[in-house]
Amino acid sequence: MSILLIVPAVNILSAPTPDAVRWKDKSFLYNMDFATQWLARLLYPLGVSTDPEQVIIGRDDWLYLGDGYERTLSVDRRTPTEAEIALAKRIGAATKAWERYLKNNGVQLFRIMVAPNKGSIYPEYLPLWARPVSPNVTDALLAEVGRGNYIDLRGSLIAAKADNPEALYYKTDTHWNSLGAGLAFRFFAQQVGMAIPELRWLPDEVYTVHRVDSRKGGDLAKFLRLTENLRDDKPIIHAQSLPVTTTHIDYDTGQIVYEGGNIAVGSRHKPLLVKAEGAINNKKVLWLRDSFGTAMSPLMAATFSDVLQLHWREGIKPGGRLEQLVADWKPDYVFFTVVERDSRVGLFAAYRPPVEIP
């Protein structure tokens, strides 16, 4: 009986403001999150995760995704199966079909940028039992799709981490930070530049660190309810000081939703057009991306004057919008940015164009 009184009392006393207390809301009064947080704080120093399906605790305060997302840990710890190799072949065939389709519809270049899993770049902080093997499923995919359309960022980022004292990924978050995103974009620029030599690119100084801020814990810390207890370094690169202003437009309605500086753009499940004043190339890019595109989005805007952004799942799902956007908006280039664990899913084998123009 006393527990029934203690739990509401703790929630009322720990509310940030008196207005935040919802006196008649049982979900607020009997919320047990505080107990989960206390348990997480107790077990974290021991390396024990209170939610191992979402996050596992590595060495030196590094956190990693668990198996709750495309079974990342289990898949990366073993060599590819015959079924995964067969899927890679189908993805390769679908990619070639799309390349022909896009070329016949006026697209000059089609590239898929694979953003590495955090464990692919920093395996040394994973528990020994969780470290990825080589070759893994991503290697099998790239062996089948070829190196033409796909840009594998793993090697460039592994090399870059040896030359940078700051980490390229957040310790407490799934994603790369602005330094990692910047160095990935620089390698992407080099690869695209070989195919389209007339394009201009940002100078190397843009990708250097201007300062390092501190921030609270990221999405992995949030899974453990330790966002306020864990801290992370946040490198700021010189790209943030570029003289670029942007206008964000809802593509479907034409409504302006933002005007101002060159801010990062989160994942979009409806098309968003970013028009950049001061971009170094007057080109149109259809960019199908995920959350790994967020830290990279200011660089894309500084490079291309018109960038139409949409989550890649919305583009290539059954009845998705890729074909319609290509036909209506007529981009010069089509780029994908997809995290490594998702680059191997079956949806990439299914998104063949329905009709290939001769």
Side-chain angles (χ1 to χ4, degrees), residues 94-290:
T95 303
K96 291 300 180 186
W98 270 106
E99 182 182 36
R100 294 190 296 270
Y101 178 88
L102 294 172
K103 184 176 180 180
N104 287 330
N105 281 273
V107 174
Q108 300 174 38
L109 194 70
F110 168 46
R111 291 291 184 269
I112 299 174
M113 185 193 328
V114 179
N117 295 335
K118 186 176 177 178
S120 296
I121 306 303
Y122 290 99
E124 63 269 31
Y125 297 110
L126 278 162
L128 289 175
W129 60 266
R131 294 184 182 179
V133 301
S134 182
N136 65 5
V137 179
T138 302
D139 296 315
L141 169 68
L142 294 172
E144 297 300 337
V145 301
R147 300 282 174 166
N149 296 116
Y150 276 72
I151 297 177
D152 180 11
L153 298 170
R154 292 175 300 172
S156 64
L157 290 183
I158 289 172
K161 80 174 187 179
D163 298 327
N164 289 273
E166 295 83 13
L168 311 184
Y169 283 62
Y170 290 114
K171 285 186 174 184
T172 65
D173 200 284
T174 318
H175 301 90
W176 51 29
N177 53 39
S178 64
L179 176 60
L183 296 175
F185 188 85
R186 184 175 66 175
F187 182 74
F188 163 78
Q190 293 167 354
Q191 299 300 303
V192 172
M194 288 190 289
I196 311 289
E198 64 269 23
L199 283 175
R200 299 170 61 201
W201 298 100
L202 301 170
D204 283 346
E205 308 86 72
V206 165
Y207 308 109
T208 59
V209 176
H210 174 56
R211 69 177 190 272
V212 179
D213 293 340
S214 178
R215 62 167 234 172
K216 64 183 181 181
D219 57 5
L220 296 174
K222 185 176 180 180
F223 291 144
L224 299 179
R225 294 179 171 83
L226 294 177
T227 304
E228 301 297 331
N229 304 93
L230 301 179
R231 305 297 298 178
D232 228 326
D233 288 337
K234 181 181 180 181
I236 305 297
I237 61 174
H238 283 90
Q240 275 81 345
S241 61
L242 290 170
V244 177
T245 58
T246 59
T247 301
H248 300 183
I249 303 168
D250 184 308
Y251 178 80
D252 291 330
T253 66
Q255 180 181 359
I256 295 175
V257 296
Y258 170 82
E259 288 182 287
N262 188 13
I263 62 173
V265 179
S267 295
R268 300 290 303 188
H269 291 273
K270 291 180 61 180
L272 180 75
L273 176 59
V274 177
K275 298 183 73 67
E277 184 71 30
I280 56 177
N281 295 288
N282 185 25
K283 294 290 184 179
K284 298 168 67 176
V285 172
L286 174 56
W287 188 22
L288 300 172
R289 42 151 293 200
D290 54 22

